[in-house]
Amino acid sequence: MSTKVHDIRSISLNELNKFVVNNNFPKYRSSQIFNWINKCSVKSFDDMTNLPKSLIELLKVNFRFNFSKISSKQISVDSTMKFAIKLHDKLIVESVLIPSGDRVTACVSSQVGCSLDCEFCATSKLSRMRNLESYEIFDQIMLMNKQSIENYTHAISNIVFMGMGEPLLNYNNVINSINLITSDHGIEISNKKITLSTSGISKMIIKMADDNVKFNLAISLHSAIQSTRNKIMPFSKSFPLSQLIKSLEYWYKKTKRKVTFEYLIWNGINDDFEHINALVKICKRVPSKVNLIEYNSIDDPRFSKADELWVNNYLNILKENKVSASIRRSRGKDIQAACGQLANKH
């Protein structure tokens, strides 16, 4: 193993087992190390007080810690908090805490920047620098959980992968981080309280269903008409709606869990009955519910919030067709922490 190449948190328990045994230490030491680096979140090998000094020295030679830290924090008038989290290589991602009564939702990033090109999203204007490692996603949660307890007196109750990046283009690290977050090494949150939001990478949705994941799935849809989606989300030319719908039907068949469609309504883009009827048609094919989301400006003149009349038209027609639908009001707009606004502005 190359000297200090690996953050110790990037290797699995099985790999740690092999390392420990190959260096003539009893296998149970790997579980002790694993507990220190995850459950106890130690920041130094010297803090692993139940390990022999010879093993601590061996770990120092072969591994390192790449801890993330909060570099700045902003608080909205509605108590939402946005964090700039600095990674070990000085790159920044943003994360958000959203309090609501006894609930605190953490909005988590999966990439530095974003791989996709959604025209209405500020994050897409940042080039994708790299994927986050599983332990960096885990760090976001642990850092925010501490802030949640300190500021809201509640631990994080819900997690949404709706921050910077496309989670399904960083699949392994996202899945590994969720496994860690939900375990007794993390905050032991239920998978039912976690939602992964994707812009619609159909082949990866099929993989998630085959992998029998237990968390919830949301789709950043915004139009059920291919030509409109191509304009506002150009990448979707490679992931057409026909494939997306088939992958979602497969998801439901395998998991028996409804999909949530996230849907922004813009003036002159999708505020008409043709778009409403197209959405209803998809919802009748795929067991689902719809979140109608308030658009948050990113200073692009092509996009402006639709008239409230059209929001109500969507809501009423969806409900008439027995589709569960609700309006999601944005939080943290004044600090650019709302949906689509994360762009490392501090």
Side-chain angles (χ1 to χ4, degrees):
M1 189 172 285
S2 301
T3 303
K4 294 202 175 185
V5 167
H6 293 281
D7 182 292
I8 191 164
R9 298 175 302 155
S10 69
I11 67 170
S12 68
L13 183 55
N14 283 339
E15 290 171 313
L16 204 50
N17 283 338
K18 287 178 191 170
F19 175 79
V20 166
V21 171
N22 288 346
N23 283 280
N24 303 313
F25 288 96
K27 187 178 173 183
Y28 74 86
R29 293 295 187 190
S30 59
S31 294
Q32 290 179 316
I33 296 165
F34 205 71
N35 194 58
W36 280 117
I37 60 181
N38 292 305
K39 189 74 171 178
C40 302
S41 296
V42 297
K43 292 180 167 55
S44 165
F45 295 111
D46 290 321
D47 293 336
M48 300 179 179
T49 51
N50 60 352
L51 299 185
K53 188 163 176 43
S54 56
L55 179 52
I56 289 173
E57 292 307 313
L58 184 70
L59 292 174
K60 285 180 181 178
V61 169
N62 284 278
F63 300 104
R64 62 185 177 191
F65 282 106
N66 289 331
F67 276 100
S68 308
K69 62 181 182 180
I70 293 170
S71 66
S72 70
K73 174 169 75 175
Q74 292 173 279
I75 305 174
S76 166
V77 291
D78 64 21
S79 297
T80 296
M81 300 178 79
K82 182 172 79 168
F83 304 92
I85 295 183
K86 186 180 284 187
L87 309 173
H88 70 95
D89 55 4
K90 307 294 189 271
L91 293 174
I92 299 280
V93 293
E94 291 186 326
S95 311
V96 181
L97 281 178
I98 307 156
S100 179
D102 289 344
R103 286 177 48 171
V104 181
T105 300
C107 180
V108 183
S109 293
S110 56
Q111 295 179 314
V112 184
C114 187
S115 298
L116 302 183
D117 54 8
C118 303
E119 299 283 358
F120 51 86
C121 178
T123 311
S124 73
K125 311 303 177 194
L126 305 173
S127 59
R128 186 189 75 83
M129 305 292 286
R130 67 175 177 85
N131 286 337
L132 291 184
E133 299 289 343
S134 58
Y135 61 81
E136 291 174 317
I137 298 170
F138 180 75
D139 276 354
Q140 278 182 83
I141 293 296
M142 300 310 281
L143 287 168
M144 283 200 288
N145 195 52
K146 187 169 183 286
Q147 290 287 323
S148 182
I149 292 165
E150 286 175 6
N151 290 280
Y152 308 130
T153 68
H154 295 292
I156 290 168
S157 60
N158 297 72
I159 297 171
V160 292
F161 280 80
M162 296 182 185
M164 302 169 81
E166 167 52 64
L168 292 189
L169 294 179
N170 187 17
Y171 185 79
N172 289 337
N173 284 318
V174 167
I175 296 299
N176 289 341
S177 73
I178 291 173
N179 290 340
L180 199 50
I181 290 159
T182 55
S183 76
D184 60 2
H185 292 293
I187 57 173
E188 298 184 73
I189 193 168
S190 165
N191 273 284
K192 293 176 182 176
K193 301 289 187 181
I194 299 175
T195 299
L196 183 148
S197 174
T198 172
S199 292
I201 315 299
S202 41
K203 62 185 178 183
M204 299 309 293
I205 292 169
I206 290 169
K207 178 168 173 52
M208 274 200 301
D210 285 337
D211 286 349
N212 195 28
V213 301
K214 301 299 184 188
F215 48 79
N216 303 306
L217 177 62
I219 306 296
S220 188
L221 187 65
H222 314 306
S223 176
I225 295 175
Q226 188 67 54
S227 57
T228 304
R229 211 162 186 262
N230 289 349
K231 287 175 190 168
I232 61 175
M233 307 167 82
F235 81 90
S236 65
K237 293 169 191 170
S238 303
F239 299 94
L241 278 168
S242 56
Q243 288 180 14
L244 177 57
I245 294 163
K246 283 179 184 172
S247 73
L248 295 175
E249 288 175 324
Y250 184 78
W251 163 270
Y252 186 77
K253 181 183 170 187
K254 293 281 281 193
T255 69
K256 297 294 182 283
R257 289 199 299 282
K258 284 186 175 183
V259 172
T260 299
F261 287 122
E262 298 166 312
Y263 201 98
L264 290 159
I265 309 168
W266 296 282
N267 182 40
I269 293 176
N270 58 357
D271 56 343
D272 56 50
F273 290 113
E274 182 188 8
H275 279 87
I276 297 175
N277 293 332
L279 177 58
V280 168
K281 196 173 174 183
I282 283 185
C283 291
K284 286 189 170 179
R285 282 189 62 180
V286 178
S288 53
K289 56 184 179 179
V290 177
N291 271 344
L292 300 170
I293 306 169
E294 190 177 1
Y295 175 63
N296 305 297
S297 174
I298 60 166
D299 299 324
D300 186 327
R302 294 173 298 169
F303 295 96
S304 60
K305 194 160 54 170
D307 190 277
E308 200 70 21
L309 167 71
W310 280 107
V311 177
N312 290 326
N313 282 338
Y314 265 94
L315 195 62
N316 293 334
I317 293 171
L318 285 164
K319 288 186 173 177
E320 283 167 16
N321 283 275
K322 311 241 176 333
V323 177
S324 174
S326 59
I327 299 169
R328 195 174 87 205
R329 299 296 179 190
S330 291
R331 301 282 299 275
K333 285 189 286 188
D334 56 314
I335 56 169
Q336 283 75 54
C339 182
Q341 289 187 319
L342 299 184
N344 285 345
K345 292 180 180 176
H346 291 269

